[in-house]
Amino acid sequence: MSFARATSERADRDEVRRVVAMAGSSFAAGMRILPQRRRRAIHAVYALCRAVDDIADGDAPEAVDSASRAALLDRWEAELDATFDGMPRTAIGAEIARTLDWIDLPKREFVMVVEGMRMDAAAIVAPDAELFSAYIRRVAGSVGILSMFCFGAWRGACSERFALNLARGLQVMNILRDVETDAAMGRLYLPAHVLRAAGLPEDPAQVARHPRLSQARALLGREARQAFDAAAVEIAAHRRTPLLPALMMMGPYERLLRRWEADWSRPPPVRSRLGKVADGLAAVARPV
């Protein structure tokens, strides 16, 4: 699936649509609010993100161990080089290349997504504040910036601030929601300073069933609130229509945060199988 060979434009588009369809109807329905050309652009970005996310999580058939995951991510990094050189080899790369003909998508953001997946493949456990921020910048911030370009909402520095703060808020919410799911994979994204403040151990299995987990969620939830508030400051600097998909991303997650702020003992909602890097994109349509 991930490395389907580039053939005709129609076949490439159909392959990317197939990847998108695997996310479920809510994602596909949400993208219909975009003009067709921009919808095709965000589909291409989503498909790349989904491909590398599946590798990092071991869901891709070939990703059987750390060595194979690293090799597969190397292949995608090489495909990005080929794509930006105008010689894509995969259907996803070909669709990104067609987008590059009319949207100046920054290559470094794609590369940072792959870097974030390398971090995930190594299984993050109780990161320090610097590593936590670096991870979020890669798996969420990069997707946020690429999305703003695809939506036609990019206006420079104010858009970068908006995208990075919104992405941070979304990703922190994903982390808060998925503690138990991530623990089953040997991962613990709650940062070390939050664990210390809540009196929790740096062990995924213990944290997932710890009675003070709600206290850790509350502490990290403050960072999500700060990020959403900082993103909201930048809204007025943008035209509302192109920004609408991003605002629709913020809405469901902010509603969940408000419910949690009222009672952090509430259990998290069930996570759909979209992949961490794509959750924010899917939130365009899906109520939490």
Side-chain angles (χ1 to χ4, degrees), residues 12-264:
D12 295 340
R13 182 189 61 204
D14 288 347
E15 171 62 18
V16 166
R17 283 178 173 173
R18 189 173 73 84
V19 175
V20 170
M22 291 174 66
S25 59
S26 62
F27 175 81
M31 291 302 104
R32 293 193 189 109
I33 70 171
L34 294 170
Q36 183 177 11
R37 203 178 188 196
R38 293 196 177 279
R39 183 167 69 246
R40 188 169 170 182
I42 198 65
H43 281 180
V45 170
Y46 172 86
L48 183 280
C49 291
R50 182 60 191 264
V52 294
D53 186 77
D54 282 351
I55 292 168
D57 282 351
D59 292 332
E62 311 96 321
V64 295
D65 54 29
S66 59
S68 62
R69 292 185 190 110
L72 289 167
L73 292 171
D74 286 345
R75 286 179 64 184
W76 274 113
E77 198 156 351
E79 174 66 358
L80 286 173
D81 287 337
T83 296
F84 277 80
D85 287 340
M87 297 179 292
R89 296 182 290 264
T90 68
I92 292 173
E95 281 294 276
I96 292 172
R98 293 181 183 105
T99 298
L100 292 173
D101 287 341
W102 65 285
I103 301 179
D104 188 21
L105 294 176
K107 179 182 177 181
R108 72 184 185 94
E109 301 301 335
F110 285 103
V111 173
M112 289 181 79
V113 170
V114 178
E115 289 174 356
M117 292 305 101
R118 292 189 191 279
M119 297 168 74
D120 249 333
I124 293 175
V125 175
D128 62 26
E130 183 178 359
L131 179 61
F132 183 70
S133 291
Y135 172 72
I136 289 179
R137 173 63 179 87
R138 283 157 177 77
V139 302
S142 292
V143 180
I145 287 174
L146 291 168
S147 297
M148 290 288 281
F149 277 97
C150 291
F151 298 158
W154 187 260
R155 296 178 67 85
C158 62
S159 299
E160 181 174 22
R161 291 190 297 270
F162 174 81
L164 293 181
N165 280 299
L166 175 57
R168 186 177 181 89
L170 295 174
Q171 190 63 26
V172 168
M173 291 299 293
N174 289 337
I175 288 168
L176 293 172
R177 181 193 58 193
D178 295 341
V179 173
E180 294 87 349
T181 302
D182 292 330
M185 302 174 68
R187 295 169 174 168
L188 178 59
Y189 297 100
L190 297 178
H193 68 273
V194 167
L195 295 171
R196 286 194 301 269
L200 295 181
E202 295 185 2
D203 176 81
Q206 292 185 55
V207 167
R209 57 177 183 265
H210 202 285
R212 288 198 292 273
L213 176 56
S214 61
Q215 296 176 34
R217 280 191 166 114
L219 288 170
L220 190 57
R222 295 174 190 170
E223 297 190 23
R225 171 56 62 200
Q226 291 168 358
F228 285 141
D229 288 349
V233 169
E234 306 296 338
I235 291 174
H238 295 82
R239 291 189 299 117
R240 184 56 64 104
T241 299
L243 199 66
L244 183 60
L247 296 177
M248 293 177 70
M249 289 182 193
M250 182 186 290
Y253 279 77
E254 223 184 355
R255 286 196 295 273
L256 173 59
L257 179 56
R258 287 197 299 271
R259 291 202 300 269
W260 256 339
E261 286 171 334
D263 181 4
W264 281 98

Side-chain angles (χ1 to χ4, degrees), residues 262-285:
D263 181 4
W264 281 98
S265 67
R266 290 185 178 189
V270 176
R271 176 185 179 181
S272 63
R273 183 60 190 96
L274 296 166
K276 67 196 73 60
V277 119
D279 269 340
L281 295 177
V284 167

